[in-house]
Amino acid sequence: MEEKRYYQKEIETMPLEEIQRIQSEKIVKQVKNVYDNVKYYRDLMDAKGVSPEDIKGIEDIHKLPFVSKADLREAYPFGMLARPLSDCVRIHSTSGTTGKRVVAYYTQHDIDLWDECCARAIVAAGGDENDICQVSYGFGLFTGGAGLNGGSHKVGCLTLPMSSGNTDRQMQFIMDMGATILCCTPSYAAYLGESLHEQGYSADDIPLKAGIFGAEPWTEEMRHNIEDTLGIKAYDIYGLTELSGPGVSFECEEQAGMHINEDHFYAEIINPETGEPLPEGEIGELVFTSLDKEAFPLLRYRTRDLCRLTRKKCSCGRTHVRMSKPLGRSDDMMIIRGVNVFPSQIETVLLNEGYTPNYQIIVDRVNNTDTFDINVELTPDQFSDKVSDIAKMEKDLVAAMRSMLGIGPKVHLLPPKSVVRSEGKAVRVVDKRKLHD
Ligand code: ADP
Ligand code: ZN
């Protein structure tokens, strides 16, 4: 039997010219659709002096105005709807990591399209109808649970709709049901792995073979840590509520960037300062257009996620453009004493130096100077009550941080279990400066 490697082979391996032809057809229709049906867009386009007739193909997309999260908040609750509510079958909402929630609407067509994107991700991670897929992303307004649940159904896996939390029950179902694919945030995967080991299981005992992890930034070092602990291959998946949810892009077995489902979502990279499109390969802000969503179609939506795109041939056979792991959102970047710092850089140093991914970054301002502290938890093995050992370890870690970041934090090595674990999106940074503003 031929190994099933794609969920929708024809689309996923389509030559670029063919993809562009489809994109062009869809964008012309979509622009006309939003101009006719969404006053908010009509006003934006009129203000920019663009009419639907100006958009003749995907190459004209740069003529359209951008849409930002602020627009979505302004248009809340119904201002961006392109279909009557009677055509909509569900809503979801952002987790509100960076402010007021955004509500997104779906017709049945939109749900099917989204489920298919997630199904592509599951098949790319080696999934088929013989798999048992444990969905431990949150269910509810958050898109993680619903998206992977829908994808798992399409693939025909036996689906375990666990939602997040209740770690004992999660472990019980992995072991008793023999779950083979785990879907959750990477920080929760790390926590589950740690907890299974505490129960005496080793990577060899754990039936999982693959994990599909996303919804938050995570580093390569974190990937290796999870892969070793759970004995799996860990795949990245990316998405956002505004576009549907997880599955906008996903990793294949090459684990070298995530293929964007570009028959549905057209990606651009722009200079976040000027809004100018950047050439392939340069890092900038990711901008998406939903080409064929019905209820809540977004044109040139600024994600604030920073990454780069590549069209280099991928050996998996998929032709869709790949995006690099987002460095984090532009708003995740901390400016500490004038230096740009990303949480992902800190995670890289910690894991390279042999620490666990249990850490928290605390930034504050005291007497007009930024303070920068990192709490890092030790494993029971690392934990030593000899004060001189701890002091030496802290000193070494500060030096490693300084060489990566160009600025030295205060490092606090803490006893095991002193940093709170995350069941969903981890809170890595507490920036108290914002409270004083
Ligand atoms: P919120 O914006 O409130 O967190 P969402 O749950 O829709 O709402 O989150 C989408 C955001 O999550 C993305 O814009 C991105 O910043 C982040 N994200 C999602 N998947 C990944 C991933 N695989 N790697 C890094 N960041 C991710
Ligand atoms: Zn690939």
Side-chain angles (χ1 to χ4, degrees), residues 164-198:
S164 55
N166 202 336
T167 302
D168 284 339
R169 189 173 63 193
Q170 302 276 359
M171 293 194 285
Q172 182 197 334
F173 274 74
I174 292 175
M175 298 310 296
D176 293 354
M177 303 296 297
T180 52
I181 299 178
L182 174 66
C183 309
C184 61
T185 58
S187 53
Y188 195 43
Y191 179 26
L192 276 173
E194 177 190 6
S195 306
L196 281 162
H197 282 245
E198 278 168 11

Side-chain angles (χ1 to χ4, degrees), residues 252 259 314 316:
C252 62
H259 289 284
C314 185
C316 77

Side-chain angles (χ1 to χ4, degrees), residues 69 94-97 215-217 236-237 239-241 305 329 425:
K69 206 154 191 152
T94 60
S95 38
T97 315
E216 65 183 3
D236 203 352
I237 185 167
L240 55 164
T241 313
D305 291 323
R329 307 183 203 214
K425 295 194 190 217

Side-chain angles (χ1 to χ4, degrees), residues 252-254 259 314-318 322:
C252 62
E253 71 264 20
E254 286 307 307
H259 289 284
C314 185
S315 63
C316 77
R318 288 178 185 77
R322 276 174 291 159

Side-chain angles (χ1 to χ4, degrees), residues 30-50:
Q30 186 68 290
V31 170
K32 191 166 168 358
N33 171 38
V34 298
Y35 192 84
D36 291 345
N37 294 307
V38 186
K39 179 174 180 307
Y40 202 96
Y41 270 115
R42 195 159 54 243
D43 291 347
L44 281 179
M45 285 174 62
D46 287 348
K48 205 166 185 244
V50 200

Side-chain angles (χ1 to χ4, degrees), residues 142-252:
F142 177 55
T143 53
L148 271 309
N149 196 73
S152 174
H153 276 228
K154 292 256 182 211
V155 175
C157 306
L158 175 63
T159 310
L160 315 185
M162 301 297 295
S163 196
S164 55
N166 202 336
T167 302
D168 284 339
R169 189 173 63 193
Q170 302 276 359
M171 293 194 285
Q172 182 197 334
F173 274 74
I174 292 175
M175 298 310 296
D176 293 354
M177 303 296 297
T180 52
I181 299 178
L182 174 66
C183 309
C184 61
T185 58
S187 53
Y188 195 43
Y191 179 26
L192 276 173
E194 177 190 6
S195 306
L196 281 162
H197 282 245
E198 278 168 11
Q199 297 232 320
Y201 297 112
S202 72
D204 288 342
D205 307 323
I206 301 170
L208 294 168
K209 65 174 188 189
I212 303 178
F213 306 131
E216 65 183 3
W218 53 311
T219 57
E220 283 303 321
E221 290 73 18
M222 181 88 164
R223 189 208 299 269
H224 298 143
N225 179 288
I226 295 171
E227 288 187 328
D228 292 347
T229 319
L230 290 174
I232 60 172
K233 190 155 169 168
Y235 295 82
D236 203 352
I237 185 167
Y238 167 91
L240 55 164
T241 313
E242 294 89 325
L243 291 178
S244 56
V248 170
S249 67
F250 62 88
E251 259 181 356
C252 62

